[in-house]
Amino acid sequence: MADEKQSSLGFLYENPVVAALRETYVSFSDRREALGLSNPGNIENIAREVQKDVFLNNYTFTGLRADLTKAFSMTPLFHVSHAFSMGSQGLPPYTFAALFGTSKVFLQGNIDNEGSLSARANYRWSPSFTTRANAQIVSGPGQAMLQVDNDYTGKDFSASIKTLNPSILEGGLVGIFIGSYLQSVSPSLSLGIETMWQRQAMNSGPETGISYYAKYKGNDWIATAQLQAQGAVQTTYWRRLTEKVEAGVDMNLSFAGLGRNGGGLLGGGLRREGVTTLGAKYDFRASTFRAQVDSSGRLSCLLEKRVAPAVSLTFAGDMDHFKQQAKIGLAVSIDAAGDDLMEQQEKAAGSSVPPPPF
């Protein structure tokens, strides 16, 4: 009986059309393998070398800050930290954080003195597929946030599906949904696309947008270009000048008033706004210095220096010449870890166990 069923369904995968498609796919895969393409990264970090490594936007702060971190274990990873700040804009006076990580799971939670809670939970289903969830609960109304990312990393491509505050409790689907795909087309060139669908409420119509991305990687330099759905154009260029010196430039041109009711060229509502930022990063033996200046007259710098194996100092300065404003910040960070934890860290660095899915 089973043989008769198998023979009756054999035409589904043994007909000339399926054979031709299979042969085409195998031929395409062989040619793709012969190109020797590598994974290009994901679209979210397409300009990581400039925006996250060289520029200090993710590191700068104001006021006084003290971070105390205690490591209890390295395998599995378990840390707790206490952060104190004074006179800082955007940072609460006190924040407690804890994180836990294995080769498949990464958990992190923060809570401040006002009761605001933020949490991250990442799970690595396989070496190529990872799910990341971020949640935030704030005392103010309408400030809660839930974001879920599903990232797949192929040999020569990356794909991602992201949702932000999804809900069906209002009688229909609302929220923000983003899908992205980045593909290596040559050893140096990568092209990508990102689509977005969002609906804030059921009484408003959905909005869609498509953005395009390109990345070219040379021997010691990387250039990227982005054409965003709102009509903004962003380009970056990163270059390694020496073994310890990196530099980057970011040019952003946006067209204000290019929306549905913006008026455009005929209505006279279209305005071009652009900002160019130039930055550099210097790595010394026990310190790192970052500096950047933009076309709006803003100059910023940040110095991180390790004064002891467990103690580091950070100085941040920001000056806006046009607004005639200046801000400074000073921080001290203390990492407490015993000798046994240092031995665990050295063993983990030499083992083949993958790190937690940060």
Side-chain angles (χ1 to χ4, degrees), residues 148-218:
V148 180
D149 301 357
N150 293 281
D151 300 329
Y152 186 85
T153 303
K155 188 174 183 180
D156 57 1
F157 72 94
S158 295
S160 174
I161 298 178
K162 180 186 302 183
T163 61
L164 181 63
N165 289 340
S167 176
I168 57 174
L169 301 180
E170 299 183 13
L173 184 63
V174 297
I176 301 176
F177 301 84
I178 301 174
S180 62
Y181 183 85
L182 186 62
Q183 172 71 57
S184 294
V185 296
S186 74
S188 301
L189 179 63
S190 304
L191 300 177
I193 186 173
E194 183 179 76
T195 60
M196 182 271 298
W197 184 95
Q198 67 173 354
R199 173 181 281 176
Q200 301 298 333
M202 290 303 299
N203 56 7
S204 61
E207 300 179 0
T208 60
I210 301 179
S211 303
Y212 303 93
Y213 299 82
K215 178 179 180 180
Y216 191 90
K217 184 177 181 179

Side-chain angles (χ1 to χ4, degrees), residues 324-335:
Q324 296 184 354
Q325 297 178 352
K327 304 174 183 178
I328 60 173
L330 180 63
V332 57
S333 300
I334 300 176
D335 297 328

Side-chain angles (χ1 to χ4, degrees), residues 36 86-87 109 124 148 209 238 260 293 329 334 353:
M86 182 175 62
R124 179 183 288 130
V148 180
W238 172 87
R260 295 180 177 179
V293 60
I334 300 176
V353 179

Side-chain angles (χ1 to χ4, degrees), residues 71-79 99-102 105-107 356 358:
F72 292 93
S73 174
M74 300 303 296
T75 52
L77 185 66
F78 180 53
H79 291 183
L99 63 87
F100 173 83
T102 65
V105 178
F106 176 74
L107 303 174
F358 295 111

Side-chain angles (χ1 to χ4, degrees), residues 35-185:
L35 293 175
L37 303 178
S38 60
N39 182 269
N42 53 37
I43 283 184
E44 185 177 358
N45 295 320
I46 192 171
R48 176 183 57 84
E49 291 79 8
V50 174
Q51 298 175 352
K52 296 185 179 181
D53 291 346
V54 174
F55 288 176
L56 50 93
N57 299 333
N58 296 330
Y59 304 93
T60 189
F61 62 97
T62 58
L64 301 177
R65 197 183 74 190
D67 299 328
L68 307 177
T69 302
K70 172 64 176 179
F72 292 93
S73 174
M74 300 303 296
T75 52
L77 185 66
F78 180 53
H79 291 183
V80 297
S81 65
H82 305 268
F84 305 87
S85 64
M86 182 175 62
S88 176
Q89 297 180 357
L91 293 178
Y94 172 74
T95 302
F96 172 79
L99 63 87
F100 173 83
T102 65
S103 60
K104 287 184 173 293
V105 178
F106 176 74
L107 303 174
Q108 182 180 10
N110 302 334
I111 186 170
D112 60 23
N113 59 289
E114 297 180 354
S116 299
L117 175 66
S118 61
R120 296 172 55 198
N122 303 344
Y123 187 81
R124 179 183 288 130
W125 303 93
S126 69
S128 301
F129 183 59
T130 303
T131 298
R132 296 177 172 87
N134 298 337
Q136 182 176 347
I137 301 176
V138 186
S139 57
Q143 299 295 324
M145 185 271 293
L146 173 64
Q147 177 178 327
V148 180
D149 301 357
N150 293 281
D151 300 329
Y152 186 85
T153 303
K155 188 174 183 180
D156 57 1
F157 72 94
S158 295
S160 174
I161 298 178
K162 180 186 302 183
T163 61
L164 181 63
N165 289 340
S167 176
I168 57 174
L169 301 180
E170 299 183 13
L173 184 63
V174 297
I176 301 176
F177 301 84
I178 301 174
S180 62
Y181 183 85
L182 186 62
Q183 172 71 57
S184 294
V185 296

